[in-house]
Amino acid sequence: MTDHHPISTNTARIWALIPCAGSGSRAGAAGPKQYQTLAGQAMVLHTLQAFAGVDRLAGVLVVVSPGDAFVSHSFATVSVADCGGATRAASVLSGLDGLTKQGARQDDWVLVHDAARCLITPELINTLIDACLDDAVGGLLALPLPDTLKQAVAGRVAATVARADKWLAQTPQMFRLGTLVQALKQASDAVTDESSAIEQLGLAPKLVAGSAQNFKVTYPADFALAQALLTARTMSK
């Protein structure tokens, strides 16, 4: 069931961008991990269902690799662009250009989300939007680090790192389209999330508490956990 939120007096629209061009090399799966079946359907379709439940979005753009025709157009607000690049940053930059061609403005908000974070919920997405819509910079879902953090050298502990101010970055990450384009063009392709690029502009993104369930399915063991959680959600409806 979709939660209805009051429309902000801010005239900027809100878009979602889902980079979906990864190879899934760390997952050990045959083919891109975002297309592996979990709880009856491809992982990325669970992701898209969550965004389809957020009525404040002007649209959702999925960025896939050139020639990739996997993602169906089964969601009315979803469009697909096969302009994915060799890196996440390149795919996002191509996607932002695609949104601009769809009519998105420089001051519109864009929520960039990992296709493989398939346990995202409309509630979490709305939490991020509510926290960032009137913010000067924007922000991201993240979790305070729950475990003791170790620094390693050659497979052994070299130091214990203080965790009091450490957070685990998640997605979506929500920033203005024009600012994000500028940030990604100036940053190196090595940046692994949008916040890193924004930070390199000297800006400080807002940290918004996410959920431990909003993890990125990355390694083989992650699939079983995601499967169990998605199945439990289906049974509880």
Side-chain angles (χ1 to χ4, degrees):
M1 182 175 177
T2 300
D3 289 328
H4 291 275
H5 294 251
I7 300 299
S8 170
T9 54
N10 188 331
T11 58
R13 288 178 295 174
I14 309 167
W15 305 80
L17 178 60
I18 316 290
C20 194
S23 64
S25 57
R26 287 177 293 177
K33 65 183 176 186
Q34 61 270 24
Y35 298 148
Q36 301 302 307
T37 299
L38 280 178
Q41 64 181 1
M43 187 191 307
V44 66
L45 297 184
H46 291 287
T47 303
L48 292 176
Q49 276 183 336
F51 281 88
V54 180
D55 54 11
R56 291 186 283 181
L57 297 179
V60 179
L61 180 64
V62 182
V63 179
V64 300
S65 297
D68 184 341
F70 181 90
V71 178
S72 69
H73 294 257
S74 55
F75 300 97
T77 57
V78 174
S79 56
V80 181
D82 63 346
C83 59
T87 64
R88 176 199 176 88
S91 293
V92 172
L93 205 48
S94 293
L96 294 171
D97 182 59
L99 286 176
T100 301
K101 290 175 180 175
Q102 288 186 21
R105 300 189 306 262
Q106 296 296 292
D107 64 338
D108 282 353
W109 291 102
V110 180
L111 279 72
V112 184
H113 183 70
D114 301 319
R117 288 187 191 271
C118 57
L119 287 141
I120 189 65
T121 63
E123 292 75 22
L124 276 175
I125 298 167
N126 277 316
T127 294
L128 180 68
I129 293 172
D130 289 339
C132 295
L133 200 54
D134 295 319
D135 192 82
V137 177
L140 63 152
L141 291 181
L143 275 185
L145 191 69
D147 301 311
T148 300
L149 190 63
K150 302 294 184 183
Q151 183 176 338
V153 173
R156 292 186 176 273
V157 174
T160 297
V161 182
R163 68 181 181 190
D165 58 350
K166 305 296 189 299
W167 289 62
L168 296 169
Q170 298 184 338
T171 66
Q173 301 193 359
M174 176 174 167
F175 301 106
R176 300 276 188 182
L177 187 151
T179 307
L180 191 50
V181 168
Q182 178 191 357
L184 288 171
K185 283 184 174 178
Q186 291 185 16
S188 69
D189 264 359
V191 295
T192 54
D193 72 348
E194 293 64 52
S195 178
S196 298
I198 295 290
E199 292 159 40
Q200 289 181 20
L201 292 181
L203 301 173
K206 186 174 186 178
L207 291 162
V208 181
S211 165
Q213 289 196 9
N214 184 30
F215 64 89
K216 187 176 183 180
V217 177
T218 304
Y219 300 105
D222 297 337
F223 285 88
L225 179 55
Q227 171 82 25
L229 290 168
L230 288 167
T231 301
R233 285 183 186 180
T234 302
M235 294 175 65
S236 66
K237 289 182 180 177

